[in-house]
Amino acid sequence: GASGWECAGWGGTVKGAVPAAAQLPPSQPPAAVASASPGPRLDGSTWRVEGLVGMQPVEINVDKSQAVHVSKCQDSVVVIHGKMNCLMLVNSSKTGVVFDSAVGMVEIVNCKSVQVQCLETVPSFNVDGTSGCQLFLSRAASDTRVFTSRSTEVNVVTPGRTDDDDMVESALPQQFVSHRSGGQWITEPVH
């Protein structure tokens, strides 16, 4: 069946239908896209999306042996169909990434004001050196782990208790306090 995606962009909201991964074969790299131009290109087993600025949503069909590397994008949306190996979003701002599922980690590094939405499952996110990151998780991704380092304004949005409930937004702690207890260091978030 199809599931939907929505990414609140910085010039409106982009909506569309995401077909089931089984219905989509892996893409071939576009023949007309030169390696220096913005847009997706397949480099071995890695899809590279580089230098998008304010473009229409870019869509990629992947399989679980392929990684996706999105870098230096601004005011853009990338939609990834299928189950990928892993995703890295680097040095991007005001960019949204929507994906079906990932076998490995999704990394968000040195970004500003980004949104990443998982429609199915992902084992973990690593958010490093990022200011302003919203992670949207499906009900199936409720066990996802989120690691943060040197990051601020990281929020996770999850489904409510039932399908009729509103989504729940949770801010992840930015500050921690460490103290000794029983000869060991204990670190806790500051609320």
Side-chain angles (χ1 to χ4, degrees), residues 12 24 31 40 55 68 85 114 119 141 173 184:
L24 295 169
M55 297 181 69
V68 179
N85 186 313
V114 294
L119 299 174
Q184 294 184 343

Side-chain angles (χ1 to χ4, degrees), residues 175-179 184-189:
Q175 296 181 336
F176 299 88
V177 62
S178 297
H179 60 91
Q184 294 184 343
W185 283 99
I186 306 295
T187 303
E188 300 170 326

